[in-house]
Amino acid sequence: MKIRIFYEDTDSTGVVYHANYIKFCDRARSSFFFDADLPIEDKGALLVHSLDCGYYSPARLGDIIDVKTTISEIKKASIRLKQEIFLNKRVIFELNIKLVYVIDGKPSKFPEYMTELFEKI
Amino acid sequence: MKIRIFYEDTDSTGVVYHANYIKFCDRARSSFFFDADLPIEDKGALLVHSLDCGYYSPARLGDIIDVKTTISEIKKASIRLKQEIFLNKRVIFELNIKLVYVIDGKPSKFPEYMTELFEKI
Amino acid sequence: MKIRIFYEDTDSTGVVYHANYIKFCDRARSSFFFDADLPIEDKGALLVHSLDCGYYSPARLGDIIDVKTTISEIKKASIRLKQEIFLNKRVIFELNIKLVYVIDGKPSKFPEYMTELFEKI
Amino acid sequence: MKIRIFYEDTDSTGVVYHANYIKFCDRARSSFFFDADLPIEDKGALLVHSLDCGYYSPARLGDIIDVKTTISEIKKASIRLKQEIFLNKRVIFELNIKLVYVIDGKPSKFPEYMTELFEKI
């Protein structure tokens, strides 16, 4: 997913504010769901359980970055993803994130449509 | 309401990003409600109808600004506020905003507790 | 300019946070400059002088909105734009904004490349 | 550092947007520098190298959270911090972050005033 860097994404050090790379990765994840034709009535939610990330090189105003997502591990109620942000074909940021599927506050088995979606990533 | 300017509030031009002053004014408005002892079950919502603002001088990283709010006009279902942001006792930003009280999508008479709250501002 | 609404754009009322529509309009303005082939060394800056806006209807998570920009007035050192946000061909937000071209803190005549760019909008 | 949760911090799931907890931790770190009486002319910058975090429980609109920061490790040119966010005396979020002091793009020895500041945390 290609994302342009706008003023709102930068801070006074002249580069992208560190927490915003995490937003960009969320945009890429959400896009999988938006682009798929998903059932609307879902009682569950996919929550962020934990994440770790590394900052290798900054992006700047006007840059067009590219977020690439791969699945590291799928379990019954959780999934681990690796998301890399590229600028000019170089990785500038890397995120590992674990998401848990939760219904009424409890980790729950992924619904079938979600497992099918993960297979397409 | 005093607000410190953090990195997240600035952009790569070195000063506060223009849309963020509008967030600061929202914080001041919300604080009136948080600080008051309000009934929780309220079916209505106070929505932004329109606003206009002027940018006189920028705030920078580390600055402590002060948001001052005054009521310009109260009607049955709407209110107009004037909010000024001060830096070192000088007005650097001014906002005029109209909020409408809405229940189920329709403008509705303010509940009594809200009118009483407005009187305290 | 088409923009997808992500989680980061919404708030706990379930719709887009009011200050974020102003960010979307900035993205559309900035894109004109990014998409054009502009000289880099520019000592001046285009600053937000004032704006007014109206909120007609909310956008929600997953919506794709469309920002359309027209020039209302060009003067020697300032420009007024009208920006409308559409959702399903309906205007849901409207912004009028005045930008001033400033060099070393003083309003200054637009450089030629900028005037030429405005003519293309 | 106590921080109030405002509308801008939440998203349409009804709780604080996951990337914003990382902003709150940055506010706490920046406050150490703002509150200290630091020399202005510093050629270096303290950059985020990497971070990992865990989400235990969400914060909601109006909540007042408390960010607590402790130093995990100080080296010549880098520092590791642990930051915990409390809500009603319970830890709801935990961040481990490594910052590197950089001059002209190269990791550099902390200036003395910075080492002294760290000792006060």
Side-chain angles (χ1 to χ4, degrees), chain A residues 17 26 49-53 55, chain D residues 17 26 49 51-53 55:
Chain A
Y17 180 68
D26 179 28
H49 170 276
S50 54
L51 62 85
D52 63 84
C53 56
Y55 298 81
Chain D
Y17 180 67
D26 179 28
H49 171 275
L51 62 85
D52 64 84
C53 56
Y55 297 81

Side-chain angles (χ1 to χ4, degrees), chain A residues 45 47 102 104-105, chain B residues 34 40, chain C residues 11-13, chain D residues 3-17 21 24 56-65 85-88 90 92:
Chain A
L47 302 185
V102 172
D104 293 336
Chain B
F34 294 147
I40 301 171
Chain C
D11 70 21
S12 60
T13 64
Chain D
I3 294 172
R4 173 79 87 170
I5 304 301
F6 291 107
Y7 282 107
E8 63 188 273
D9 304 314
T10 62
D11 70 22
S12 60
T13 65
V15 298
V16 169
Y17 180 67
Y21 296 94
F24 301 151
Y56 307 138
S57 185
R60 288 182 166 77
L61 182 69
D63 283 345
I64 295 176
I65 57 171
I85 298 184
F86 290 78
L87 177 63
N88 301 327
R90 247 180 86 201
I92 62 165

Side-chain angles (χ1 to χ4, degrees), chain B residues 17 26 49 51-53 55, chain C residues 17 22 26 49-51 53 55:
Chain B
Y17 181 68
D26 179 27
H49 171 276
L51 62 84
D52 64 84
C53 56
Y55 297 81
Chain C
Y17 180 68
I22 295 169
D26 179 27
H49 171 276
S50 55
L51 62 85
C53 56
Y55 296 82

Side-chain angles (χ1 to χ4, degrees), chain C residues 27-77:
Chain C
R27 293 186 199 174
R29 294 194 306 274
S30 296
S31 292
F32 287 120
F33 287 85
F34 294 148
D35 295 346
D37 205 23
L38 295 184
I40 301 171
E41 18 34 302
D42 188 338
K43 296 167 186 172
L46 207 53
L47 303 184
V48 178
H49 171 276
S50 55
L51 62 85
D52 64 85
C53 56
Y55 296 82
Y56 307 137
S57 185
R60 288 180 168 77
L61 182 70
D63 283 345
I64 295 177
I65 56 171
D66 197 3
V67 186
K68 293 197 177 159
T69 303
T70 51
I71 294 177
S72 307
E73 186 187 43
I74 304 184
K75 291 195 172 177
K76 275 189 186 171

